[in-house]
Amino acid sequence: DARVTQTPRDKVTEMGQEVTMRCQPILGHNTVFWYRQTMMQGLELLAYFRNRAPLDDSGMPKDRFSAEMPDATLATLKIQPSEPRDSAVYFCASGLFGTVSKAFFGQGTRLTVV
Amino acid sequence: SQKIEQNSEALNIQEGKTATLTCNYTNYSPAYLQWYRQDPGRGPVFLLLIRENEKEKRKERLKVTFDTTLKQSLFHITASQPADSATYLCALQVDYKLSFGAGTTVTVRA
């Protein structure tokens, strides 16, 4: 079964450190999303890409977050410097939007910033 | 501002009954409305999609309605089972952007 793969599954880091989360979308999917989930805010859209081009990253704190797709098999989300309020589960999802239009989610990266 | 609101309260129902979840939205003109299921510690999983020109969609024990005038979708789980216990999320798609509500947690008692 094709699936979205995220690494790492869990990450504990100290405040001020750089964090990089990786996502391998499903081969052939043209749209990739990054979401953050917390109990308070639910599932927030941080950024998304179509055919590797960033379409919208207005959901991200610009000064510390960055999202890229260096190639079709890898999407990255970086936080530098990390803060305790960044603690959350970060999900990557991919889909073939424009046709089937449903998103397939990875298992998430649980980030704890202490 | 744009908002997607789901039942704020968790839903506790008896096995065999119908669970009805609500998704209301403001300042969106979605082409599609989708419903996902999320189990603890896992990513959301797609369940159903309904287009703006469709009123109702069914899949096994699930039924979704979509009223673009009321800006509301209802999600029904009929003949509910304990295995249906999960959080259910609605999502609005505008172009390539997919935005989610906070979800409603459903617990089905045996």
Side-chain angles (χ1 to χ4, degrees):
Chain A
D1 272 350
R3 59 180 66 187
V4 175
T5 304
Q6 289 186 246
T7 55
R9 289 294 311 276
D10 282 279
K11 176 74 176 178
V12 180
T13 191
E14 292 186 345
M15 184 172 65
Q17 296 297 305
E18 177 177 304
V19 175
T20 299
M21 290 169 269
R22 292 178 174 80
C23 167
Q24 181 176 0
I26 293 173
L27 193 65
H29 281 184
N30 62 358
T31 309
V32 175
F33 303 89
W34 280 107
Y35 292 92
R36 173 171 66 182
Q37 189 172 41
T38 61
M39 289 293 290
M40 293 297 294
Q41 299 293 331
L43 201 58
E44 298 175 272
L45 179 61
L46 298 176
Y48 65 106
F49 298 78
R50 182 186 172 218
N51 295 327
R52 294 178 53 205
L55 284 190
D56 187 347
D57 62 0
S58 59
M60 292 200 309
K62 293 288 189 304
D63 54 340
R64 299 184 301 109
F65 283 58
S66 63
E68 295 180 346
M69 275 202 77
D71 62 61
T73 65
L74 178 65
T76 61
L77 180 67
K78 287 187 183 177
I79 308 174
Q80 167 63 13
S82 57
E83 297 181 3
R85 60 181 166 151
D86 301 328
S87 298
V89 180
Y90 291 80
F91 286 104
C92 174
S94 71
L96 192 57
F97 277 61
T99 54
V100 177
S101 297
K102 61 183 179 183
F104 294 80
F105 279 77
Q107 296 280 57
T109 294
R110 180 176 297 278
L111 174 66
T112 305
V113 183
V114 297
Chain B
S1 63
Q2 293 180 320
K3 282 186 187 176
I4 304 170
E5 293 180 319
Q6 298 189 239
N7 307 52
S8 55
E9 305 269 331
L11 209 55
N12 284 282
I13 60 169
Q14 186 71 40
E15 182 176 9
K17 300 292 186 186
T18 296
T20 298
L21 285 63
T22 304
C23 176
N24 294 296
Y25 60 92
T26 53
N27 295 320
Y28 279 97
S29 295
Y32 305 98
L33 191 145
Q34 304 182 19
W35 284 89
Y36 289 74
R37 170 184 172 138
Q38 186 174 23
D39 291 289
R42 304 183 76 87
V45 174
F46 173 83
L47 294 175
L48 275 170
L49 175 152
I50 186 165
R51 293 175 170 77
E52 60 179 336
N53 59 352
E54 295 177 314
K55 296 290 186 189
E56 183 178 300
K57 201 83 169 274
R58 291 176 187 258
K59 180 182 174 184
E60 297 171 354
R61 295 183 295 106
L62 306 179
K63 185 178 91 171
V64 172
T65 62
F66 191 12
D67 188 326
T68 55
T69 302
L70 289 179
K71 296 188 185 296
Q72 182 181 77
S73 174
L74 299 179
F75 177 82
H76 306 271
I77 308 171
T78 59
S80 60
Q81 303 168 0
D84 296 326
S85 299
T87 296
Y88 292 86
L89 302 152
C90 76
L92 273 56
Q93 182 187 341
V94 178
D95 295 327
Y96 291 86
K97 187 172 184 176
L98 191 62
S99 303
F100 283 81
T104 300
T105 299
V106 174
T107 302
V108 181
R109 302 188 308 275

